């Protein structure tokens, strides 16, 4: 797992990036990073740097995502797509155990922890924060998710500082970006200027330092460092969204009965897209399956969502049967109760839930609407009839 170490900065030329991949492969890492697939930039296994989305960018708005050609060959000139690193650290489906019946006895075999090391290429600052949020959920001293822990401890993280912000990004509001400050092994800033294409590289751990020193590099000078700072400053100035987080926990606690929940519920399809793409959402359920002969059974854990009725089913019915109750649960958990539970916001400002909501519901807009409604006369806020 990445620590913190900020000493030297290195220059890695674009045409030596493959060498970084080679070093990671030789040390047994499965390399996962961005690639173009099904009209989006998703994270998948990479065989070489040729699989990176060279010359592509993404254009994002509420309910909209499109790929577009850039006028250069930047490898990381996009923002975030529908996948996040939770797809690999906490996969959508994981087998927990298998049971076999033999001669009247049942034998249970636990699923072994993931053995292969993974190297994540192109992790954004907001995503580093999201991984840190999931660490708090899955690697608490009292309750450890062994599967997550084994994947996480073996992950080598190559972060990439953002050089542009997307239309739905708001990491500056959440204090989670756009520059990676901790939680990585290596952090790259991509620079294309005067016909030269290179990366300024920072090592964030001893493991990162060991890796970069096996790759052809030169020390970064003042000019390259300031070029890297300018790249990040550009992204910071382009945020497509912003959220005023002042007193947000108490704001949402005070507004449990705000009529705005009815309004957003009238648009929400309870499709759960927002929770699937969110890099911090962690709800799951378990399912048991058996074969037709009845001598083999398996238990699987799979992602679930607070937008499904089943998630809150308690004997006799669902605790949150209305769309209003489910949307309110999601947003209030994300931005308020998460703080009580884990000491941090559950939102890192990546904007995925806005982009991938089919009806363009935007939590930054919802927070703004609730905040502004507090300025209205009291009686106009009393539109509440039943909570579930
Ligand atoms: S807020 Fe949007 S993405 Fe989330 S459940 Fe509702 S319609 Fe689906
Ligand atoms: S709530 Fe939305 S913006 Fe916040 S981390 Fe989740 S997907 Fe990203």
């Amino acid at each position: 797992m990445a620590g913190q170490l900020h000493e030297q900065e290195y220059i890695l030329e674009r045409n030596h990036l493959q060498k970084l991949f080679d070093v990671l492969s030789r040390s047994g890492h499965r390399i996962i990073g961005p690639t173009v697939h099904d009209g989006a930039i998703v994270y998948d296994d990479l065989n070489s740097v040729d699989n990176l989305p060279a010359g592509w960018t993404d254009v994002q708005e509420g309910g909209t995502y499109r790929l577009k050609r850039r006028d250069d060959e930047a490898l990381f000139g996009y923002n975030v797509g529908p996948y996040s690193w939770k797809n690999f650290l906490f996969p959508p489906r994981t087998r927990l155990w298998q049971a076999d019946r033999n001669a009247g006895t049942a034998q249970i075999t636990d699923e072994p922890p993931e053995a292969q090391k993974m190297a994540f290429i192109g992790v954004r600052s907001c995503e580093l924060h999201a991984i840190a949020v999931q660490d708090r959920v899955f690697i608490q001293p009292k309750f450890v998710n062994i599967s997550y822990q084994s994947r996480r401890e073996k992950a080598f993280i190559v972060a990439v500082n953002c050089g542009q912000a997307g239309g739905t990004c708001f990491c500056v509001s959440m204090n989670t970006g756009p520059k990676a400050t901790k939680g990585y092994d290596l952090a790259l800033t991509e620079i294309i200027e005067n016909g030269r294409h290179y990366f300024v590289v920072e090592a964030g751990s001893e493991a990162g330092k060991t890796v970069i020193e096996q790759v052809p590099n030169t020390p970064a000078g003042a000019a390259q460092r300031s070029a890297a700072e300018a790249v990040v400053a550009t992204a910071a100035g382009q945020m497509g969204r912003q959220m005023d987080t002042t007193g947000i926990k108490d704001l949402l606690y005070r507004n449990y009965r705000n009529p705005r929940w009815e309004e957003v519920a009238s648009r929400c399809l309870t499709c759960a897209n927002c929770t699937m793409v969110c890099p911090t959402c962690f709800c799951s359920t378990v399912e048991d399956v058996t074969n037709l002969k009845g001598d083999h059974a398996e238990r699987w854990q799979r992602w679930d969502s607070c937008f499904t009725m089943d998630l809150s089913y308690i004997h006799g019915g669902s605790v949150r049967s209305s769309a209003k109750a489910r949307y309110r649960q999601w947003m209030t958990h994300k931005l308020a109760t998460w703080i009580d539970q884990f000491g941090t916001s559950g939102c890192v400002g990546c904007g995925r839930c806005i982009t991938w909501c089919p009806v363009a519901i935007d939590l930054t807009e919802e927070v703004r609407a609730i905040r502004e409604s507090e300025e209205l006369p009291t009686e106009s806020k009393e539109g509440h009839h039943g909570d579930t």
Side-chain angles (χ1 to χ4, degrees):
M1 230 187 265
Q4 251 190 298
L5 184 83
H6 301 282
E7 295 167 356
Q8 192 178 344
E9 290 175 38
Y10 308 78
I11 297 295
L12 171 65
E13 299 293 339
R14 154 70 179 90
N15 58 9
H16 287 145
L17 187 62
Q18 181 61 45
K19 298 260 189 325
L20 174 64
F21 279 39
D22 295 343
V23 169
L24 291 168
S25 283
R26 277 202 302 275
S27 54
H29 289 89
R30 172 186 169 199
I31 299 182
I32 300 163
T35 194
V36 175
H37 202 285
D38 290 337
I41 294 171
V42 301
Y43 300 142
D44 204 346
D45 288 271
L46 302 181
N47 295 321
S48 79
V49 292
D50 294 340
N51 299 140
L52 291 168
W56 286 104
T57 192
D58 49 17
V59 181
Q60 303 193 38
E61 254 312 322
T64 303
Y65 177 98
R66 294 284 180 274
L67 290 187
K68 199 176 131 199
R69 289 304 301 186
R70 295 174 58 92
D71 55 13
D72 61 22
E73 286 298 304
L75 300 175
F76 300 97
Y78 58 88
N79 292 103
V80 292
Y83 283 28
S84 69
W85 301 101
K86 87 174 177 185
N87 292 60
F88 300 92
L89 291 170
F90 176 53
R93 292 188 83 230
T94 312
R95 187 167 54 202
L96 300 176
W97 50 256
Q98 310 180 60
D100 288 288
R101 185 156 54 191
N102 274 320
T105 60
Q107 189 176 14
I108 294 178
T109 313
D110 284 330
E111 196 67 13
E114 175 66 43
Q116 189 170 11
K117 298 187 282 189
M118 292 185 280
F120 297 157
I121 310 292
V123 183
R124 305 298 181 160
S125 178
C126 62
E127 299 185 304
L128 293 171
H129 284 264
I131 292 170
V133 168
Q134 289 215 321
D135 285 352
R136 289 178 193 218
V137 176
F138 292 126
I139 322 182
Q140 295 183 30
K142 270 175 141 178
F143 307 105
V144 175
N145 180 317
I146 306 290
S147 166
Y148 179 93
Q149 185 183 41
S150 98
R151 292 161 193 271
R152 177 72 178 97
E153 284 180 348
K154 291 199 282 280
F156 185 93
I157 295 185
V158 180
V160 169
N161 291 319
C162 291
Q164 64 175 48
T168 56
C169 291
F170 56 105
C171 64
V172 167
S173 298
M174 306 313 285
N175 208 17
T176 55
K179 181 172 167 53
T181 55
K182 60 182 176 183
Y184 58 81
D185 294 294
L186 293 173
L188 278 50
T189 307
E190 183 171 32
I191 297 167
I192 302 176
E193 58 179 11
N194 306 324
R196 187 178 172 200
H197 189 170
Y198 66 97
F199 299 93
V200 173
V201 184
E202 294 164 71
S205 69
E206 285 298 339
K209 198 158 183 264
T210 304
V211 167
I212 191 65
E213 290 185 349
Q214 294 175 64
V215 176
N217 72 75
T218 52
Q224 287 105 20
R225 286 168 194 248
S226 65
E229 279 165 24
V231 163
V232 174
T234 301
Q238 287 178 342
M239 291 290 128
R241 296 287 196 278
Q242 58 176 343
M243 184 193 284
D244 178 2
T245 59
T246 317
I248 195 160
K249 186 178 92 168
D250 293 329
L251 173 79
L252 292 176
Y253 285 171
R254 279 198 304 275
N255 282 281
Y256 187 70
R257 291 163 188 256
N258 194 300
R260 181 72 186 189
W261 301 117
E262 297 279 9
E263 195 281 332
V264 68
S266 70
R267 291 178 283 136
C268 177
L269 310 173
T270 66
C271 67
N273 263 19
C274 48
T275 53
M276 298 294 108
V277 295
C278 178
T280 66
C281 278
F282 58 84
C283 285
S284 67
T285 187
V286 289
E287 285 175 343
D288 293 342
V289 290
T290 58
N291 67 359
L292 289 176
K293 283 165 68 184
D295 59 7
H296 180 79
E298 298 185 353
R299 175 162 288 180
W300 287 78
Q301 181 178 32
R302 69 159 174 80
W303 290 357
D304 205 341
S305 168
C306 52
F307 282 94
T308 70
M309 292 276 275
D310 283 352
L311 190 82
S312 69
Y313 184 91
I314 297 175
H315 177 70
S318 177
V319 172
R320 292 185 286 271
S321 58
S322 69
K324 179 186 84 171
R326 279 175 270 157
Y327 186 85
R328 181 179 57 195
Q329 153 65 25
W330 176 71
M331 199 173 99
T332 308
H333 188 207
K334 197 65 53 185
L335 298 171
T337 49
W338 209 298
I339 297 170
D340 284 335
Q341 217 176 348
F342 302 110
T344 177
S345 171
C347 175
V348 296
C350 71
R352 284 181 177 89
C353 58
I354 307 170
T355 298
W356 296 95
C357 174
V359 290
I361 289 172
D362 176 344
L363 83 170
T364 67
E365 180 56 35
E366 296 311 308
V367 168
R368 190 174 302 116
I370 287 177
R371 202 178 279 288
E372 286 171 2
S373 76
E374 286 207 323
E375 290 151 22
L376 297 172
T378 311
E379 59 271 20
S380 65
K381 292 189 275 179
E382 300 279 331
H384 162 74
H385 300 289
D387 281 341
T388 61

